[in-house]
Amino acid sequence: MPWSPGAGRGLGRSYARALASAGASVVVNDLDADVAEDTVKAITDAGGNAVAVVGAVGGAELADALVKRAVDEYGRLDIMVTNAGALRDKTLRNTTDEDFDLVVGSHLRGTFTCGRAAVRQFREQGDGGRLILVGSPAGQRASFGQTAYSASKGAIVAMMRTWAVEHPKLGVTVNAIVPTALTRMVATIPGLGELVAKAEAGEPIPENVRRKGLGTPDDVAPVIVYLASKEASHVTGQAIAAGGDRIALWSHPAETHEQIKTDGNSSSGVAMTSSATTGATSR
């Protein structure tokens, strides 16, 4: 019985529908009541179980209310997918305090409060659960104009790794997906608008594009279903990229070079180490 925030459109909608098709009863959360109800209708018309809760993620009150709705409707909570969040495409100098707070509050704080609420319920039930967090390539590498979004998504994956080592005794697995898909969110990226239009029209996506990891939201949803399943009970602490015809595993951060100085570090020694590691030169 998962709760899937931000499930009214795009990737979140595909996640909710795929989980429902696999037998889960779903609580759909979205800021827009109409699209939330539309997702619920799509699920129930297909024979599944779903209800909607409308509201913006971020604070503890809504997170607790969403988990409570799942328990009230279905008797328990087994799976949580944290997908909701806002986006502001702005470079550092153009990012306002309000922009930063909105993006970080929805993505990072929303994931934190919802993850905490779910774990409390999992602990009370006593038989495990699944936390599936949602990262982004923007949080794994440089993404121009995404100060707040990159910070949030990078922090979500870091938080996932911490939660994964905190909760194995509860039987709770914690993983993150790093999805890529042709959705409205990427339509403004140069070269992708036409592909997004094709995807929304149901037209085939070129094979060379799919092999690079860009397809429809439905291409990502099977990864969610797998991570939510009993078959994935041994998988935890992983960041899994998915999109189009491609799936990949992100590495855990690791040091790439080491230098031991018995007499302590100096600025010249640091410069030499940096140059050896990055290929950079000093001027």
Side-chain angles (χ1 to χ4, degrees):
M1 280 68 73
W3 148 56
S4 186
R9 297 186 178 95
L11 285 162
R13 178 182 171 92
S14 289
Y15 303 159
R17 295 186 67 177
L19 285 164
S21 294
S25 297
V26 183
V27 176
V28 175
N29 164 241
D30 201 280
L31 185 61
D32 188 319
D34 291 338
V35 296
E37 290 295 346
D38 186 62
T39 298
V40 168
K41 186 176 187 301
I43 290 171
T44 55
D45 285 352
N49 297 316
V51 294
V53 172
V54 178
V57 298
E61 184 176 353
L62 183 64
D64 293 341
L66 288 165
V67 172
K68 183 178 185 300
R69 182 68 185 276
V71 175
D72 289 346
E73 289 287 338
Y74 307 123
R76 57 185 292 111
L77 179 77
D78 296 310
I79 309 154
M80 178 205 289
V81 182
T82 60
N83 183 70
L87 183 65
R88 292 293 183 271
D89 294 315
K90 295 183 179 180
T91 57
L92 174 59
R93 68 186 182 90
N94 293 319
T95 301
T96 66
D97 290 359
E98 292 76 18
D99 293 331
F100 189 85
D101 290 345
L102 174 65
V103 176
V104 174
S106 58
H107 285 285
L108 182 57
R109 185 175 176 81
T111 297
F112 160 67
T113 56
C114 294
R116 181 178 60 186
V119 165
R120 286 171 175 168
Q121 182 62 31
F122 294 155
R123 180 183 292 275
E124 182 177 327
Q125 291 169 182
D127 52 5
R130 300 282 186 272
L131 289 181
I132 305 171
L133 314 186
V134 179
S136 168
Q140 301 295 100
R141 55 182 177 235
S143 184
F144 188 92
Q146 297 290 346
T147 290
Y149 185 70
S150 294
S152 300
K153 289 301 191 180
I156 285 170
V157 173
M159 194 160 60
M160 173 275 292
R161 294 188 175 115
T162 294
W163 290 356
V165 300
E166 288 182 348
H167 297 103
K169 290 184 178 180
L170 295 180
V172 175
T173 65
V174 190
N175 294 284
I177 61 162
V178 182
T180 49
L182 293 167
T183 65
R184 293 188 313 157
M185 183 176 287
V186 302
T188 58
I189 297 176
L192 293 185
E194 184 178 345
L195 288 170
V196 171
K198 285 185 176 182
E200 291 181 341
E203 297 180 25
I205 307 302
E207 181 180 354
N208 66 313
V209 175
R210 291 185 56 82
R211 290 182 67 83
K212 291 178 181 178
L214 280 175
T216 70
D218 289 342
D219 294 317
V220 181
V223 180
I224 296 286
V225 174
Y226 170 72
L227 290 174
S229 71
K230 292 181 179 179
E231 287 74 14
S233 61
H234 64 292
V235 181
T236 195
Q238 302 302 317
I240 302 171
D245 294 333
R246 182 176 180 274
I247 188 169
L249 191 66
W250 281 92
S251 66
H252 290 248
E255 296 174 338
T256 59
H257 186 76
E258 182 183 67
Q259 177 177 279
I260 305 297
K261 300 284 288 184
T262 57
D263 56 349
N265 289 311
S266 65
S267 59
S268 60
V270 173
M272 289 176 61
T273 302
S274 176
S275 297
T277 303
T278 65
T281 58
S282 299
R283 293 186 178 183

